[in-house]
Amino acid sequence: GQSLEQPSEVTAVEGAIVQINCTYQTSGFYGLSWYQQHDGGAPTFLSYNALDGLEETGRFSSFLSRSDSYGYLLLQELQMKDSASYFCAVSQAGTALIFGKGTTLSVSS
Amino acid sequence: EAGVTQFPSHSVIEKGQTVTLRCDPISGHDNLYWYRRVMGKEIKFLLHFVKESKQDESGMPNNRFLAERTGGTYSTLKVQPAELEDSGVYFCASSQDGGRRWTDTQYFGPGTRLTVL
């Protein structure tokens, strides 16, 4: 079967750094994406890794290791507005995204 | 640039009724996807259109679900007759096409929350 594993919940305080891990087991792999979803909203694209290494976009970074079938999303200088659900998703050459169950991040002051 | 839009935002129907969901993708996006999230579970793929053609409908749960994309613009997803287990949030996403680095970036709409009573 195909599966993505990520922690169900993470808590942190404002200003901290948090890392959300994602391990995947899929029949095909083209890249790993991360999405953010606030309650009742649209999943919003954050980042995409097709090659090994770190991609940085402002306060957010994403890492991929294809040999380990592993990636993570790193959020720095946490703000209250970062409280949301974060999903990793594997893409298989332009077709469906396969999603993890999501990680609920709660940021407190 | 307008994002992906979906209508309605919420729908409450009784078991056995019919519901039609609509998705308007980002203008110029050839790829259109439908996904569903059932309470407490992951977002799951339903089907993928490239323009007006169904590229992959392997995720459609059964023949009570019918998706169309006439003219390659907006898409509809009809559930007929609806069952209790169809309740969930139905997301639509769209993406551009053609060998760029961000080919696989899918942009999601806000979803339609369907409740079947």
Side-chain angles (χ1 to χ4, degrees):
Chain A
Q2 312 207 81
S3 66
L4 284 82
E5 297 293 330
Q6 54 181 126
S8 58
E9 292 182 11
V10 174
T11 58
V13 296
E14 275 187 301
I17 299 173
V18 73
Q19 179 174 312
I20 301 174
N21 298 320
C22 175
T23 57
Y24 58 88
Q25 192 170 16
T26 58
S27 57
F29 181 86
Y30 194 74
L32 185 71
S33 299
W34 288 91
Y35 285 81
Q36 177 193 62
Q37 185 187 26
H38 287 99
D39 275 347
T44 304
F45 173 77
L46 292 177
S47 68
Y48 175 73
N49 295 68
L51 303 175
D52 286 357
L54 192 69
E55 293 280 346
E56 297 181 71
T57 309
R59 294 187 297 115
F60 295 178
S61 303
S62 58
F63 172 82
L64 175 66
S65 168
R66 294 176 70 123
S67 61
D68 295 323
S69 299
Y70 163 76
Y72 65 72
L73 179 69
L74 189 73
L75 300 88
Q76 302 182 74
E77 300 172 20
L78 280 175
Q79 303 174 9
M80 297 287 284
K81 67 178 182 179
D82 297 328
S83 294
S85 292
Y86 293 83
F87 296 89
C88 58
V90 165
S91 57
Q92 297 179 313
T95 58
L97 286 173
I98 303 169
F99 282 87
K101 290 188 177 180
T103 298
T104 301
L105 171 63
S106 300
V107 181
S108 58
S109 57
Chain B
E1 178 183 283
V4 177
T5 58
Q6 294 186 242
F7 181 84
S9 57
H10 293 79
S11 180
V12 180
I13 61 173
E14 293 190 352
K15 176 182 170 180
Q17 290 186 320
T18 297
V19 64
T20 300
L21 314 180
R22 174 172 169 143
C23 168
D24 286 79
I26 293 172
S27 178
H29 281 192
D30 288 339
N31 295 289
L32 187 150
Y33 306 81
W34 283 99
Y35 293 85
R36 176 173 74 171
R37 187 179 193 196
V38 173
M39 178 76 75
K41 303 211 170 175
E42 62 269 31
I43 300 171
K44 284 206 165 178
F45 166 77
L46 295 178
L47 89 159
H48 170 207
F49 284 99
V50 177
K51 297 184 180 177
E52 67 275 9
S53 300
K54 290 177 185 174
Q55 181 77 12
D56 180 357
E57 51 184 332
S58 61
M60 295 288 262
N62 51 61
N63 60 8
R64 295 186 293 104
F65 288 74
L66 175 64
E68 295 180 326
R69 192 183 183 195
T70 307
T73 53
Y74 71 91
S75 174
T76 58
L77 179 65
K78 180 190 287 188
V79 184
Q80 178 182 30
E83 298 289 344
L84 299 179
E85 64 264 25
D86 301 333
S87 295
V89 182
Y90 290 77
F91 291 104
C92 174
S94 71
S95 70
Q96 289 185 302
D97 199 9
R100 304 187 319 172
R101 181 180 180 216
W102 300 107
T103 291
D104 290 319
T105 301
Q106 296 182 24
Y107 298 92
F108 281 73
T112 294
R113 184 174 297 276
L114 174 65
T115 303
V116 183
L117 303 175

